[in-house]
Amino acid sequence: MKVRLLLGLLLLCPRPAVGAEILTVDARLSEAQLEVGDVLTLDIRAVAAVDGDVQIRLPPIQGMSVLGRSESTQVSMSWTSAGQTIRREKVVRVELSADQPGQVIIPPVVAEVGASKAESRPLEVMVTGNDSPAAAVATDDGEIVPPDPNETKLFVRYRLSQGSVWLGQQVLLDLEIFADPSSTFQLETIPDPPDLDGFWREVVERPKRLVPRTDVVQGRRYQVFRAWRLALFPLQAGQRTIEPVALSFRLGSGSLFGPGRRLRRRTRALELEVKPLPSLGRPAGFSPSNVGTYALTARVDERKVDASKALILKLSLSGEGNVKSARLPELKQIDGFRVFPPTVSEDIDLRPAGVHGTKTAEILLVPARTGELTIPSFRMSVFDPRAQDYGLLETDAIRVQVEGALPPSSAKAGPVVPPARPGATAQGDSSPRPLRYAAPLAPTATAPWSSGIWWAMVGAGPMLLGLIATLRAARTRSAKDDGAKARSALERLAKEKLVALETSATAGDPKGAAAAFTEAFYARAQARLELSLRGQTSDGAARALIERGADEAYARAVAQALETASFTRYAGGTVGDLTTTAREWSALVEGIDKGTYRGER
Amino acid sequence: MMGPATKLVLAFALSASAQPEEVARDFQAANERALAKEHGQAIALYESILERGYDDSDVYYNLGHVLEGAGRPIDAIVAYERALARAPGDADAIFNLERLRALHVSGLPEPAADAASLGEAVRPWISSDLTREAAWLFALSLLAACVLRAFFARVGAGTALANLGFFTATISLVVTLLGISALREVRAVVTESAALREGPDARFPDRGVVIPGETVRVRGTQGSFQEIQRLDGSTGFVERAALATVTYSL
């Protein structure tokens, strides 16, 4: 019983059909030829007749990059007379992007299940590349480049409103998608409008939802969708190239089994002829920014104005063209007015038909006198592309009546408005303090120390004091010098007389010795003590010496010597031993040097 | 018949007297534009007065008023701060400035107790006009005192008057130096939100953000950055383009 059960189970086990292949693999490409950057799909289908996980190994492919991969597996079982069979089918879809031009070989794809292995056949695809990009093409006004043979169902193109324009003239550039009405597609990306070298551009249309229209190209009907529209203003003359752009699509609406086939489509590069503005007939002072179909107007807010009020002059340039770069006429002076720098504003209107706009300069004019004043007409040269010629735009002159009296001249028109609530805070108050309607305006004062007068005042006083002090010091020094000279002369005299005293004593001349002693002592006393003893009695001299601090004995000795000397000189008296007396007399004179007059020994 | 010298003097006198009249008229015209809510024209007129050297606090005050009306609160704060730099005790300007900050600026740091400098402490009392007058008084009193001391020291009260002159000169000098200190300090208003960085380069990490409308003290300049000190005492570097200097220096 158990054996039968086992045999039954064995019969039920699936086994490969006798004579059938266990594993097969097949690979196919969606395109045989494409351009660099384009995407193709590699579909791989492996079928295994046994149960087990089917592995598919994709070999490296030179010249291509894998963008994405999706897999699905289907398992089916069937019972035949040979028994149960199982069939496992695995589908792999790989998206590849062509990286470089040339012949690309896709090596065999290997599939494995268990010990079984199978290979697909190798595949080839031709890639044309950017090495030889399609040359730029010139088109007529509003025309497009026809589609290539491999893109008849879906292609993208630029469309220029004009194939040839003047420098600065507006031209419209559209990016359009042409699709066969029977095909459905999804747009993966719409590239941003490019920044084109040599052009000023404005995006005038960029719909969020593509709206189709019908067009016929080479006898074939297409649905045409505009992705965006640019208004271009060429900034340089010559042949300008508009570089191509590429868009990615998915064909079909997608299904449960996949999002649809992926495609890239590229526009062709376009050539645009930009003609330089004609030199013949070009007005003097013409600005190349002023290209367009324009009108120029000037108006004031009031024709009658009070002399104390200002008025506003509005000068406007409006029309079709690049108003942003247009240059309005400059206004420097108007007789009877003071002119202030203008405030310039622009109002640009981006329409599908192109760029329209208005550029306005608001100029504040303050009357400088009363009466009828005239604002002269303004002139401006432009180049009108429609007329293909230069033109002169001109406004009418404007008469303005200024009445009343000009404001009185006063830099001090009145007191400053005092604060309404001094010290009040801003809390709970939503209104600001009011304007100051009259203020004593004065030019900004400079710092005092930037004035020479200030420095002169600051320096003059101390300099004066310094000068006076210097003069006083000089005078004092001069007086001191005179005193020193006198003392020095007296010292010399005292020395001479001491020598004369010695000589007279040696010569036995008592009168001469007495005179020399007297003169020497007077001179030495004058020089050292500033004491004038001449004309004084001997007692008077002694008293004077004592008052100056002399020793009493010394003073008495001096008094005695002076008396003896005087007696000898004038009364013929004698002095005994003249040599000894002369020595004593010299000692008295030298006594002043030695400080004996103070009693010092 | 006027000689050439007379003509020259007359022309100079006329031109000198013409400008204050023009400025007064422009000020009136600007005020009327402001009242008529024509903010752009009023702003242009006030700015033209400032450009002609009439750097007056009242002009800045009115300019701040109009800038607020024109929906430019940060520029209005700058104008009011400049008015206060010239007239520190202007109660109207202080009121309007505080009101603007209350309405339009949030997240300002709390002022630190010790963040005020000597200059800030004396600023409410010492204006630029007072500093100029004190400087002139110093020069005059010093000269007078020196002359009295030199020639009249022995005449009656000559010495006493000289000493009074020296005393006056000393006080005036102190006031002048305080005024210079107050006015020399550079302050700025933050005009746009910017990172407060640790160093004078965008590669330095930031330690916060300065707030438009905030007033900061500028401590130095390095390249395109300025070192600032905020109300709370914190310091850092901010791009110069985000600051508007408001300090008025003599």
Side-chain angles (χ1 to χ4, degrees):
Chain A
M1 183 63 179
K2 285 183 186 176
V3 173
R4 282 185 191 169
L5 192 59
L6 279 171
L7 282 172
L9 284 171
L10 276 171
L11 282 172
L12 283 173
C13 283
R15 56 181 183 270
V18 174
E21 287 184 1
I22 294 177
L23 177 63
T24 61
V25 61
D26 180 43
R28 287 168 203 255
L29 287 170
S30 60
E31 315 280 343
Q33 181 176 330
L34 70 166
E35 288 187 4
V36 170
D38 281 353
V39 175
L40 79 160
T41 308
L42 172 65
D43 288 316
I44 306 164
R45 184 166 161 270
V47 179
V50 292
D51 194 12
D53 188 23
V54 180
Q55 300 288 334
I56 294 178
R57 277 189 286 113
L58 191 65
I61 304 169
Q62 210 153 17
M64 288 211 157
S65 305
V66 176
L67 297 181
R69 174 175 170 146
S70 60
E71 293 183 356
S72 63
T73 303
Q74 201 173 3
V75 180
S76 61
M77 286 191 240
S78 62
W79 286 263
T80 63
S81 58
Q84 185 190 43
T85 56
I86 191 162
R87 187 170 179 274
R88 193 176 273 272
E89 181 177 338
K90 187 166 190 173
V91 175
V92 173
R93 173 166 281 178
V94 182
E95 285 187 334
L96 300 166
S97 163
D99 297 335
Q100 59 197 38
Q103 185 88 5
V104 177
I105 306 290
I106 297 173
V109 178
V110 176
E112 289 176 331
V113 61
S116 303
K117 193 173 173 178
E119 278 185 6
S120 67
R121 59 187 169 80
L123 299 172
E124 287 181 10
V125 62
M126 174 57 74
V127 178
T128 57
N130 288 337
D131 288 353
S132 53
V137 179
T139 56
D140 290 331
D141 296 356
E143 293 297 314
I144 61 164
V145 177
D148 294 336
N150 63 333
E151 55 178 20
T152 50
K153 283 202 174 237
L154 177 70
F155 64 98
V156 292
R157 285 294 180 267
Y158 282 138
R159 190 193 298 267
L160 278 169
S161 59
Q162 282 166 269
S164 171
V165 294
W166 294 99
L167 179 65
Q169 181 185 355
Q170 180 173 205
V171 59
L172 300 176
L173 174 69
D174 295 342
L175 175 63
E176 292 181 330
I177 303 164
F178 293 77
D180 188 284
S182 63
S183 60
T184 53
F185 66 91
Q186 289 173 8
L187 196 56
E188 282 198 338
T189 57
I190 299 180
D192 286 333
D195 287 325
L196 302 166
D197 267 349
F199 291 92
W200 175 262
R201 64 138 213 200
E202 296 281 359
V203 180
V204 296
E205 193 180 350
R206 192 170 182 181
K208 289 183 183 161
R209 191 167 155 267
L210 300 184
V211 176
R213 69 174 198 278
T214 303
D215 201 356
V216 174
V217 178
Q218 289 185 324
R220 196 165 172 160
R221 196 179 293 275
Y222 288 94
Q223 281 195 315
V224 184
F225 304 84
R226 186 187 297 158
W228 41 250
R229 170 171 279 187
L230 303 181
L232 302 179
F233 299 90
L235 305 174
Q236 297 163 357
Q239 291 291 341
R240 314 304 306 177
T241 301
I242 299 172
E243 296 296 331
V245 294
L247 281 72
S248 296
F249 299 88
R250 283 212 183 265
L251 275 190
S253 56
S255 68
L256 288 173
F257 303 103
R261 206 180 96 199
R262 198 173 182 182
L263 279 183
R264 275 166 69 96
R265 288 289 182 262
R266 196 186 295 270
T267 66
R268 295 287 293 274
L270 283 192
E271 271 203 359
L272 175 67
E273 185 196 4
V274 180
K275 298 177 287 189
L277 296 174
S279 49
L280 186 66
R282 181 180 299 186
F286 169 76
S287 169
S289 310
N290 294 345
V291 175
T293 306
Y294 293 127
L296 184 68
T297 56
R299 66 181 193 280
V300 290
D301 50 352
E302 287 173 53
R303 294 293 183 117
K304 263 190 195 172
V305 67
D306 190 80
S308 64
K309 293 186 186 301
L311 68 148
I312 299 186
L313 168 67
K314 285 189 183 175
L315 182 63
S316 298
L317 180 74
S318 57
E320 181 186 316
N322 190 4
V323 291
K324 270 189 185 173
S325 67
R327 294 175 71 169
L328 290 167
E330 269 189 37
L331 176 60
K332 293 205 175 130
Q333 281 184 349
I334 298 180
D335 184 37
F337 288 101
R338 289 183 46 239
V339 180
F340 287 86
T343 306
V344 180
S345 61
E346 291 148 4
D347 181 18
I348 307 297
D349 184 12
L350 301 177
R351 307 172 188 169
V355 175
H356 287 67
T358 303
K359 189 167 195 171
T360 303
E362 288 191 5
I363 305 157
L364 188 71
L365 303 177
V366 175
R369 62 169 194 267
T370 55
E372 189 180 80
L373 304 178
T374 303
I375 299 171
S377 63
F378 293 91
R379 292 188 184 87
M380 179 180 164
S381 297
V382 298
F383 181 83
D384 187 346
R386 283 193 199 155
Q388 304 211 34
D389 198 6
Y390 295 98
L392 181 66
L393 304 179
E394 191 169 353
T395 66
D396 295 327
I398 303 172
R399 286 199 174 78
V400 177
Q401 189 68 29
V402 179
E403 293 170 340
L406 291 172
S409 63
S410 169
K412 296 185 181 183
V416 173
V417 173
R421 286 169 291 159
T425 65
Q427 300 296 328
D429 189 322
S430 62
S431 303
R433 297 276 171 85
L435 279 175
R436 305 236 163 107
Y437 304 129
L441 299 179
T444 305
T446 54
W449 43 88
S450 63
S451 157
I453 295 174
W454 187 83
W455 285 106
M457 287 169 68
V458 168
M463 277 174 60
L464 180 65
L465 285 179
L467 185 65
I468 291 174
T470 304
L471 287 173
R472 279 187 188 150
R475 199 181 312 141
T476 305
R477 199 180 312 120
S478 172
K480 275 189 187 166
D481 284 348
D482 289 343
K485 279 184 190 166
R487 275 198 300 279
S488 163
L490 287 168
E491 288 285 352
R492 274 199 305 276
L493 179 64
K495 281 182 186 167
E496 284 171 12
K497 293 302 177 185
L498 284 172
V499 168
L501 170 62
E502 195 178 330
T503 305
S504 296
T506 305
D509 179 7
K511 274 190 183 174
F517 161 69
T518 308
E519 292 302 319
F521 193 88
Y522 284 165
R524 185 60 60 84
Q526 180 80 42
R528 297 288 170 89
L529 306 177
E530 292 181 4
L531 196 59
S532 179
L533 299 174
R534 193 181 297 276
Q536 289 198 33
T537 62
S538 54
D539 288 337
R543 275 199 298 278
L545 285 169
I546 291 170
E547 279 172 13
R548 286 302 180 94
D551 188 63
E552 203 172 315
Y554 173 79
R556 274 206 303 275
V558 167
Q560 176 120 23
L562 285 174
E563 197 170 332
T564 303
S566 173
F567 186 71
T568 305
R569 277 173 84 180
Y570 302 113
T574 58
V575 294
D577 184 359
L578 184 57
T579 305
T580 303
T581 302
R583 205 178 296 126
E584 284 172 4
W585 283 353
S586 285
L588 287 173
V589 174
E590 298 291 348
I592 294 177
D593 285 333
K594 293 182 175 59
T596 52
Y597 74 97
R598 282 205 178 95
E600 296 170 3
R601 300 277 177 197
Chain B
M1 192 75 167
M2 277 195 288
T6 312
K7 284 182 187 171
L8 198 63
V9 168
L10 194 60
F12 176 77
L14 282 173
S15 68
S17 66
Q19 203 184 18
E21 294 179 21
E22 283 180 10
V23 168
R25 272 210 305 274
D26 292 346
F27 189 69
Q28 276 189 323
N31 292 342
E32 284 174 11
R33 291 288 140 191
L35 289 172
K37 307 287 183 205
E38 292 174 19
H39 299 127
Q41 300 302 329
I43 290 168
L45 275 168
Y46 288 130
E47 287 178 348
S48 75
I49 293 171
L50 294 169
E51 281 165 18
R52 276 176 278 173
Y54 284 74
D55 200 12
D56 196 272
S57 64
D58 290 328
V59 179
Y60 275 113
Y61 173 87
N62 281 8
L63 178 61
H65 203 282
V66 174
L67 284 167
E68 185 188 350
R72 294 163 58 180
I74 303 301
D75 291 338
I77 288 174
V78 173
Y80 282 128
E81 285 280 13
R82 286 178 175 159
L84 284 170
R86 287 145 182 83
D90 188 338
D92 286 345
I94 292 171
F95 179 88
N96 287 355
L97 182 61
E98 287 178 358
R99 176 184 160 279
L100 265 179
R101 285 213 166 105
L103 290 171
H104 298 287
V105 183
S106 60
L108 284 175
E110 286 296 319
D114 58 347
S117 65
L118 173 64
E120 280 175 354
V122 302
R123 190 176 291 115
W125 293 282
I126 300 185
S127 65
S128 54
D129 288 339
L130 180 61
T131 305
R132 272 193 290 273
E133 286 159 11
W136 282 111
L137 183 60
F138 160 70
L140 194 61
S141 52
L142 180 66
L143 178 63
C146 289
V147 168
L148 284 169
R149 175 61 65 90
F151 297 114
F152 300 101
R154 296 174 191 167
V155 178
T159 302
L161 286 173
N163 289 341
L164 179 64
F166 283 123
F167 178 74
T168 306
T170 304
I171 300 297
S172 306
L173 182 62
V174 168
V175 172
T176 304
L177 292 174
L178 281 175
I180 292 172
S181 164
L183 295 169
R184 246 199 202 150
E185 192 173 77
V186 182
R187 290 185 302 147
V189 172
V190 178
T191 53
E192 54 191 61
S193 185
L196 181 69
R197 299 196 179 273
E198 289 183 4
D201 196 279
R203 288 168 287 184
F204 281 92
D206 53 340
R207 46 169 79 138
V209 177
V210 288
I211 298 159
E214 178 184 354
T215 298
V216 297
R217 197 184 301 158
V218 178
R219 293 166 66 168
T221 301
Q222 289 189 43
S224 63
F225 281 79
Q226 286 187 306
E227 186 182 4
I228 63 153
Q229 183 177 22
R230 301 180 80 184
L231 283 174
D232 60 359
S234 62
T235 60
F237 290 84
V238 174
E239 291 197 47
R240 287 169 72 176
L243 299 172
T245 305
V246 299
T247 303
Y248 171 73
S249 59
L250 290 171

